[in-house]
Amino acid sequence: MPPVRTSSFAIEVPAALLARARAGQAEAFEQLYRRFERPVFTLALRLCGDRDEAQDVLQETMLKLFRQIGSFRGDGGSPFWGWLRQIAVNEALMKLRRGRSQAPEIEADGESRFGEDLAPLPPAAADAALLQRALRQLPANTRSVLWLYHAEGYTHDEIAALMQRTPSFSKSQLARGTRRLRALLQIEEPAHA
Amino acid sequence: MPDIRKPDSRLPPQEPRNWSEAFAALPLETPDRDAWPRLATEIRAHRPTTRPAARRHRRATWLALAAAVALAVAMPLAWWPRDAAAPATVAVQGTAATDETELAALYAQSARLESLLSQWRDERVATGPAAVLAGEYETRLAGIDAALSEPALSAPQRAALWRERIDALQRLTAFHGSQRLLAAQGERYDGQLVAVY
């Protein structure tokens, strides 16, 4: 059974609040901001790897939300949080692409296996501090693929479109990034009594 | 009596069974500073303002500048360095490899325009009507990006959307470039620029 991925963005917004925000009521928009401030910042930080850049992404995302909230239709049952998440992901990835140095990724490592990683997690993965530290050590593009896939539930086709790359790129970075993450966590593994 | 709504704190937390659960267990981060005050200020600043009183201007100068910038942005393929993987011309054929090649070329062109836009965009020189127009272009881009996120798109549909995205980026980049050039000369023709673009 494939793992269930629940995004931190999955917050239902009351229709009345959304209507007031669309009508231009500032206090309603501030309520939306407060609800999604931390999920947007966290996503930006995981992708960009820098707190100042994540702050910029938060600002730009919320500004775009203000400008475009009138165009949100919710057609086909698509939730508001999914639409907002899309804006945040695009802003964070644009920030990465505009960076002075090209956001790196893990080059070919001699391994040709791109299948799903089904091995047991290293124990250190359960330690939030260790996992966050290991994630920060990954190249930005690789980390972005891992986060979009595992935390936000995007498919390889979706990730490819978002990152302006191919599905093969997404699959290879997921596989290489996961191997690198395992290696980093094995090093970090706490000593057992 | 323990609160049955809450997990029993006496039990050890469940270990994550896979990477998704491990990532989901990470705590949300809190921004270092509250972004709302600045956001509220910018929201007020982006509301449309009344047009300034008409003043004398040199039409030929700003028209020529705007046209030059628009031309430079509209002709990137011939003059800009090209990625090795991006062919000079792209034709959509029925093969998956060709579709991926065309998409790769469109991605590369979009990335070049975004890089140029990041250099030319300057919110300091944006006022009233200009900010509104720029916001409209941004809205168009967001709509295209939302459409691109649909997983069921065929390669031709995706390519068509990317071409639309490139068109929007070209217009937005040309607009910001014109505005920045004029601002550098101490000129501001917001209304005229809006009329052109």
Side-chain angles (χ1 to χ4, degrees), chain B residues 173-185:
Chain B
T173 306
F175 174 76
H176 279 293
S178 301
Q179 194 170 47
R180 194 168 179 140
L181 274 173
L182 291 169
Q185 297 189 349

Side-chain angles (χ1 to χ4, degrees), chain A residues 5 30 33-34 38 42 51 55 66-68 90 94 97-98 117 121 126 132 150 161 164-165, chain B residues 15 18-20 28-30 32-36 43 46 107 114 118 121 138 142 145 158 162:
Chain A
R5 304 182 181 98
E30 184 177 1
Y33 169 79
R34 295 294 174 200
R38 295 179 72 202
T42 302
R51 297 188 73 87
Q55 190 83 36
F66 170 75
R67 288 177 185 151
Q68 297 161 19
N90 286 333
M94 274 201 291
R97 288 194 291 269
R98 290 173 190 164
D117 178 280
L121 292 187
Q132 288 180 94
H150 285 305
Q164 300 176 6
R165 307 294 285 265
Chain B
E15 299 283 318
N18 49 58
W19 290 110
S20 294
L28 285 176
E29 300 276 348
T30 301
D32 297 329
R33 52 192 180 277
D34 185 4
W36 175 250
I43 287 172
H46 278 83
Y107 296 161
E114 284 190 11
S118 70
R121 178 190 274 129
E138 301 275 5
D145 287 342
R158 194 172 296 280
W162 274 104

Side-chain angles (χ1 to χ4, degrees), chain B:
Chain B
M1 185 173 182
D3 188 338
I4 61 173
R5 293 169 300 174
K6 297 180 183 176
D8 190 341
S9 61
R10 293 170 298 179
L11 296 176
Q14 286 207 351
E15 299 283 318
R17 295 167 294 179
N18 49 58
W19 290 110
S20 294
E21 290 185 4
F23 284 19
L26 291 176
L28 285 176
E29 300 276 348
T30 301
D32 297 329
R33 52 192 180 277
D34 185 4
W36 175 250
R38 185 182 162 198
L39 186 64
T41 302
E42 293 211 27
I43 287 172
R44 283 194 294 272
H46 278 83
R47 285 185 183 146
T49 59
T50 54
R51 290 187 62 176
R55 54 176 183 253
R56 296 174 65 85
H57 58 264
R58 290 167 289 177
R59 284 182 175 267
T61 303
W62 70 260
L63 270 175
L65 279 171
V69 169
L71 187 64
V73 172
M75 297 182 66
L77 290 178
W79 293 348
W80 290 10
R82 188 168 298 121
D83 297 330
T89 59
V90 178
V92 178
Q93 299 178 5
T95 64
T98 307
D99 289 340
E100 277 210 9
T101 301
E102 182 195 9
L103 285 172
L106 292 170
Y107 296 161
Q109 187 178 2
S110 175
R112 284 194 290 269
L113 283 166
E114 284 190 11
S115 176
L116 189 60
L117 179 61
S118 70
Q119 296 170 47
W120 285 359
R121 178 190 274 129
D122 187 347
E123 300 296 339
R124 295 170 300 175
V125 303
T127 62
V132 170
L133 181 62
E136 288 175 3
Y137 279 128
E138 301 275 5
T139 298
R140 182 184 168 200
L141 273 171
I144 295 169
D145 287 342
L148 279 170
S149 70
E150 294 298 323
L153 291 176
S154 65
Q157 287 173 324
R158 194 172 296 280
L161 283 169
W162 274 104
R163 282 191 283 271
E164 271 193 56
R165 191 175 201 274
I166 286 165
D167 178 72
L169 279 171
Q170 284 176 334
R171 292 171 186 271
L172 185 57
T173 306
F175 174 76
H176 279 293
S178 301
Q179 194 170 47
R180 194 168 179 140
L181 274 173
L182 291 169
Q185 297 189 349
E187 308 280 2
R188 264 178 42 192
Y189 300 112
D190 289 354
Q192 290 77 15
L193 269 176
V194 168
V196 168
Y197 285 98

Side-chain angles (χ1 to χ4, degrees), chain A residues 126-140:
Chain A
D127 185 313
L130 294 179
L131 179 56
Q132 288 180 94
R133 185 158 64 194
L135 278 171
R136 281 197 296 270
Q137 294 181 63
L138 294 178

Side-chain angles (χ1 to χ4, degrees), chain A residues 31-44:
Chain A
Q31 285 191 50
L32 287 180
Y33 169 79
R34 295 294 174 200
R35 284 174 188 238
F36 290 99
E37 176 187 28
R38 295 179 72 202
V40 171
F41 182 79
T42 302
L43 172 79

